[in-house]
Amino acid sequence: MSSGTEQDEDRFRRVYAEDFESLLAYALRRVAHPEDAADVVAETFLVAWRRRRDIPIAGAARLWLYGVARRVLANHHRGGVRRQRLGERLRQQIAASAADPGSEVPERLAVRAALAGLPEVDREVLMLTVWEGLQPHEVAAVLGVSPAAVRTRLSWARTRLRGWSVTIRGRPDMYSTC
């Protein structure tokens, strides 16, 4: 190791020891959760380690670290805003598509009981077609069978389900929610 590198590492260690607490206090006053402050300080010192040759000598190091921490905090806050917006959009989508699950229980039970009476491959063909919206050639690719076999098994499954008084045409609501 060269003496320049050793000096940079020693300076980093000194700066870390001298300024960790003040930097943590700085971050704690600017975030909502203590664990976020710990992340900010860790990221700040990671930047400092990577740029240890740029750390100013003497008392200016703490001011330099505050500048780094300020930029890290800005990134942290932008990320938080993005996460909040994404979470809100997701909550709105879920609320818009979610019906009262209690109202669907009898239909779900009937569909599950009917599906349980089918052979495994027929059940998978039916679920991939109705629930996942796949075409016969796509189902064939998933299951490793021919599209003709998929169409035949789909027809058999529909016929068997008619005995359960369950009608499968296209994508009825009770199938798309199970």
Side-chain angles (χ1 to χ4, degrees):
M1 209 183 296
S2 70
S3 67
T5 302
E6 288 176 7
Q7 287 175 348
D8 292 340
E9 289 178 13
D10 288 342
R11 187 170 63 221
F12 175 83
R13 284 187 187 101
R14 260 191 327 278
V15 166
Y16 182 88
E18 291 171 4
D19 297 320
F20 176 82
E21 287 183 23
S22 60
L23 204 61
L24 181 59
Y26 173 85
L28 281 167
R29 287 188 286 272
R30 287 162 175 77
V31 296
H33 306 287
E35 58 272 12
D36 291 340
D39 290 343
V40 167
V41 172
E43 180 70 23
T44 300
F45 278 110
L46 178 63
V47 170
W49 174 255
R50 289 181 182 150
R51 297 185 54 206
R52 60 189 173 272
R53 292 185 178 157
D54 298 336
I55 297 175
I57 299 173
R62 183 165 21 139
L63 301 178
W64 183 83
L65 284 171
Y66 281 154
V68 171
R70 186 172 173 273
R71 288 184 289 282
V72 169
L73 278 164
N75 287 338
H76 173 77
H77 290 307
R78 278 192 299 272
V81 169
R82 281 192 304 268
R83 282 187 298 278
Q84 284 177 336
R85 287 180 188 153
L86 178 62
E88 184 57 35
R89 281 196 315 263
L90 184 58
R91 282 187 288 281
Q92 288 173 355
Q93 288 175 344
I94 290 171
S97 66
D100 177 19
S103 67
E104 300 170 357
V105 169
E107 285 127 1
R108 283 179 184 236
L109 294 174
V111 169
R112 296 232 183 250
L115 288 172
L118 294 175
E120 184 179 342
V121 175
D122 292 356
R123 181 174 48 245
E124 189 64 19
V125 164
L126 188 63
M127 290 190 311
L128 286 170
T129 302
V130 176
W131 288 348
E132 308 309 325
L134 299 182
Q135 297 298 315
H137 71 277
E138 295 169 320
V139 174
V142 169
L143 299 178
V145 299
S146 71
V150 169
R151 285 189 290 275
T152 300
R153 289 191 171 276
L154 187 57
S155 177
W156 289 345
R158 286 178 174 162
T159 300
R160 287 185 187 114
L161 286 180
R162 282 190 192 103
W164 281 82
S165 301
V166 176
T167 306
I168 298 176
R169 292 189 185 110
R171 299 176 115 215
D173 289 337
M174 66 188 246
Y175 297 105
S176 63
T177 58
C178 295

